[in-house]
Structures are given as C-alpha cells and as structure tokens.
C-alpha cells in the first residue's frame, strides 16, 4: 500500500449555527412560513405566518436561547408568542453552517418541522451601517395602507402613513 490513507467520511462540523434561515413549517394547520435569525451567542428570534401577495403576514413569533455544536442545535426554552398565553417549548435540529437548518419545534401541544435555507438577499456577516439602508422606501401597513419611509445618511428618518408623520434617529 502506497499512500497516506484517508477517509471518505465528511469532516466534522465545528462552526456554530448563525444567520437568517427561512422555510416552510409542516405539521401545522396552515401553510406557514418560518424565518429565524440565530445570533452568535445562540439567542434566536423567529417569526411565522402565511405568505399573502408575496409578503409575510405574521401570526406569531418565537424567542429563546439555544446552543449549537457539531451540526446539532438545541433549545429547551422557546417562548411562542403566537398563542395566548405564550407557549413554552423546544427546538431540536441539525444544521450545516450557511447551507441549511432543519428542526423539530414543539410549542405546547403542537409539533412542527422546519426545513430552512439561508435567506439569499441577506448577508448576516455584513456589519450594519446606516448607508446600507439610507434612501426612500415604500411599504404597507398590516391593514394595507401605504407607508413612505425616508432614511437620511445621518440616521434620521421619517415615516409617513396617511399624513401622520413619525420621526426618529437610527
């Protein structure tokens, strides 16, 4: 035998789960979409709802603290604010950094599965800057009313919804 040996097995995943992932929830009573951002310290925030006209109509959100290592993610303190009172549950899943996140989510009596992929137009590793969001933005409220948002390069902003103007600073 000549050579340095080797293995056909995949290398171990050592990176933590971080980033923004989106995908369907299955096992729920509706066709739900789930978006979750997992921060570098394991804290996560997620929203879920139905897609209507290309926009996500949010029906609830979850928050909690998890841990990721070697391709496995777990959290036993999920709080689901889509039910009243807020549900408590867990997330158990597997991930490949920057590739995908698949999980089983339990909240109260409900169990759903999530098959997530990174959101393509979001760069989690890019530092937040005002210049990245400055400009004029058109949006709509949950009731369908138009909303105009202007963000200047110094961080000041103004939102106009039907003549009612709100201002502030980022």
């Amino acid at each position: 035998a000549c050579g340095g040996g080797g293995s056909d097995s995949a290398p171990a995943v050592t990176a933590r789960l971080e980033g923004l992932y989106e995908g369907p929830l299955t096992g729920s009573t509706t066709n739900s979409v789930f978006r979750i951002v997992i921060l570098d310290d394991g804290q996560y925030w997620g929203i879920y709802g139905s897609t209507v006209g290309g926009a996500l109509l949010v029906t609830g959100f979850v928050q909690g603290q998890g841990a990721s290592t070697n391709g496995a993610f777990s959290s036993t303190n999920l709080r689901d604010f889509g039910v009243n009172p807020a549900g408590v549950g867990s997330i158990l899943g597997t991930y490949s950094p920057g590739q995908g996140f698949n999980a089983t989510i339990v909240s109260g009596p409900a169990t759903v599965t999530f098959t997530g992929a990174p959101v393509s137009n979001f760069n989690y590793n890019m530092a937040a800057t005002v210049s990245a969001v400055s400009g004029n933005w058109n949006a709509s409220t949950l009731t369908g009313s138009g909303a105009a948002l202007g963000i200047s390069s110094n961080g000041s902003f103004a939102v106009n919804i039907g003549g009612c103007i709100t201002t502030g600073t980022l």
Side-chain angles (χ1 to χ4, degrees):
C2 307
S7 170
D8 290 336
S9 64
V13 176
T14 56
R16 292 183 304 250
L17 176 62
E18 297 179 40
L20 178 63
Y21 293 85
E22 175 182 54
L25 290 176
T26 56
S28 61
T29 58
T30 62
N31 292 328
S32 294
V33 173
F34 186 55
R35 293 181 184 153
I36 185 169
V37 62
I38 302 102
L39 305 179
D40 60 345
D41 64 358
Q43 185 176 166
Y44 60 87
W45 298 83
I47 56 175
Y48 58 89
S50 301
T51 303
V52 178
L56 180 63
L57 178 59
V58 177
T59 56
F61 74 94
V62 298
Q63 184 276 327
Q65 181 73 40
S68 60
T69 184
N70 295 326
F73 180 84
S74 66
S75 170
T76 57
N77 67 354
L78 171 133
R79 291 180 291 182
D80 184 347
F81 295 93
V83 294
N84 189 9
V88 178
S90 63
I91 299 178
L92 297 173
T94 58
Y95 67 93
S96 178
Q99 304 278 320
F101 175 39
N102 301 316
T104 299
I105 303 169
V106 177
S107 176
T111 299
V112 295
T113 57
F114 169 63
T115 305
V119 174
S120 62
N121 62 349
F122 179 79
N123 183 350
Y124 175 79
N125 293 314
M126 186 172 85
T129 63
V130 172
S131 63
V133 295
S134 63
N136 294 313
W137 300 82
N138 292 315
S140 62
T141 67
L142 291 177
T143 61
S145 300
L149 168 64
I151 303 172
S152 63
S153 60
N154 68 0
S156 64
F157 68 87
V159 180
N160 185 338
I161 302 173
C164 181
I165 299 174
T166 302
T167 61
T169 305
L170 297 173

